[in-house]
Amino acid sequence: MLLLLTIIGFLTISSCWSEIFSNNHPKNLSQAIIVGVKKCGTRALLKFLSIHPAIAVASTELHFFDSYTNFQHGLQWYRAQIPINRSSQHIIIEKTPSYFINKSTPLRIARLLPDAQLIIIIRDPITRAISDYVQLRNRHRFYPSFDDWISSSNFTQRTPVKIGCYAQYLRRWLKYFPRNQMHFVDGENLIHRPWEELEHVQTFLNLPVRIHREDFYFNPNKYGFPCLRQTNGCLGLNKGRRHPVIANQTRNKLNDFYLTCNAELKRLAQIDFSWI
């Protein structure tokens, strides 16, 4: 039975790849993908980009390239999830933050969309870890404090902490994509000066700049997070949660852990964000 299931799975994947390679010019597929990183502002970035007249965005995270089940559905399933590329829209964007850390995703995207423009948003890994922790604690009522969480001997193995070592995942992407097909967004600056980061993204996508400073305002009820000047221009209630104050000892411990990771990230990504 196990052998039969294995053969069926192999044939399904082979069929999917055959379908992909039989179409040299796939239409209605993502031309740009926000591949991560979780808790760095992917949803905000996609929402802000959606107001550009030349951009169409997928309304949900598709999890096509990082899900064995979804990938088996094949190319037609993926196409059906992508918004129709109207004549006035030149770029289709989807975002699935877990793509960045998934081992299978870079190769799958490289084979299906070798010319895809990859957008990677990153932020101070300590802030990212705290944000990830806050989300976890919100789901589990009785959860240790962040300081207690980091005080454990195996804190570096906790997923929210590991993800912040961005370089270890970026190496995998650089095996399949050249650096000039990647754009790194500073998640810290996106919170404070979103128009600057959006200008860089629009330039990377070879689009005219249509998103400007006057498109934003800062909502005091969302801890000063930026919102668009339009109906439902702010992110949902689960965004902009207050972060706990952490002890200096905890911050120093995390700083030491991320020091080498950040140096390698700076070298590989060829970026010089203020928090690195």
Side-chain angles (χ1 to χ4, degrees):
M1 177 62 73
L2 180 60
L3 177 60
L4 178 61
L5 291 174
T6 301
I7 293 173
I8 292 173
F10 174 77
L11 291 175
T12 304
I13 293 296
S14 298
S15 176
C16 182
W17 283 124
S18 297
E19 181 187 8
I20 289 169
F21 289 127
S22 67
N23 191 339
N24 295 323
H25 302 285
K27 298 178 181 179
N28 292 337
L29 293 180
S30 299
Q31 297 160 285
I33 306 176
I34 300 174
V35 299
V37 177
K38 178 186 178 186
K39 306 307 296 180
C40 288
T42 59
R43 185 182 298 181
L45 179 60
L46 190 70
K47 185 178 184 69
F48 297 159
L49 285 172
S50 71
I51 69 172
H52 196 291
I55 292 177
V57 303
S59 59
T60 60
E61 294 177 8
L62 302 186
H63 290 282
F64 178 69
F65 295 103
D66 66 343
S67 168
Y68 176 81
T69 300
N70 287 346
F71 194 70
Q72 288 185 90
H73 292 326
L75 189 60
Q76 293 304 320
W77 181 91
Y78 185 57
R79 280 177 171 162
Q81 315 307 311
I82 302 294
I84 296 174
N85 192 5
R86 299 191 298 270
S87 59
S88 62
Q89 294 176 312
H90 310 296
I91 298 289
I92 300 172
I93 302 180
E94 72 131 316
K95 73 101 176 172
T96 302
S98 53
Y99 283 169
F100 186 69
I101 65 173
N102 181 265
K103 292 182 179 179
S104 302
T105 296
L107 175 59
R108 288 174 176 172
I109 295 179
R111 287 185 172 177
L112 175 57
L113 299 170
D115 298 321
Q117 295 168 292
L118 305 177
I119 301 172
I120 304 169
I121 178 170
I122 51 180
R123 67 185 306 188
D124 182 335
I126 297 178
T127 307
R128 200 221 70 83
I130 295 172
S131 181
D132 211 343
Y133 161 84
V134 169
Q135 185 177 59
L136 287 171
R137 188 170 188 178
N138 196 57
R139 296 173 181 171
H140 305 283
R141 183 177 177 183
F142 300 103
Y143 216 65
S145 70
F146 187 78
D147 291 323
D148 289 340
W149 207 56
I150 299 302
S151 67
S152 64
S153 58
N154 67 336
F155 81 97
T156 61
Q157 299 306 307
R158 297 186 183 278
T159 300
V161 175
K162 288 171 62 177
I163 291 176
C165 193
Y166 306 121
Q168 64 178 320
Y169 306 102
L170 180 58
R171 292 190 197 99
R172 191 183 298 145
W173 287 91
L174 288 169
K175 290 180 181 178
Y176 302 102
F177 290 94
R179 173 61 183 83
N180 62 8
Q181 279 181 237
M182 302 178 184
H183 176 73
F184 291 85
V185 176
D186 185 347
E188 300 298 334
N189 197 43
L190 185 72
I191 294 174
H192 302 291
R193 302 178 69 83
W195 52 89
E196 290 184 350
E197 295 304 314
L198 270 293
E199 180 178 349
H200 298 325
V201 175
Q202 291 169 91
T203 300
F204 170 69
L205 296 175
N206 293 315
L207 294 175
V209 177
R210 295 287 185 269
I211 305 173
H212 304 283
R213 181 171 185 168
E214 54 267 25
D215 292 313
F216 298 91
Y217 74 97
F218 293 90
N219 188 346
N221 296 323
K222 298 287 290 183
Y223 309 114
F225 272 60
C227 297
L228 292 169
R229 294 187 184 278
Q230 63 177 34
T231 303
N232 298 320
C234 292
L235 297 178
L237 295 175
N238 64 334
K239 296 296 181 180
R241 298 188 184 102
R242 186 180 294 278
H243 286 186
V245 177
I246 66 173
N248 288 334
Q249 181 180 357
T250 299
R251 186 171 294 278
N252 292 336
K253 191 173 184 179
L254 289 170
N255 271 327
D256 291 341
F257 172 67
Y258 288 126
L259 186 64
T260 301
C261 292
N262 285 347
E264 182 67 358
L265 171 70
K266 184 176 181 178
R267 184 185 71 82
L268 292 174
Q270 301 169 33
I271 55 176
D272 192 19
F273 296 163
S274 62
W275 48 267
I276 296 179

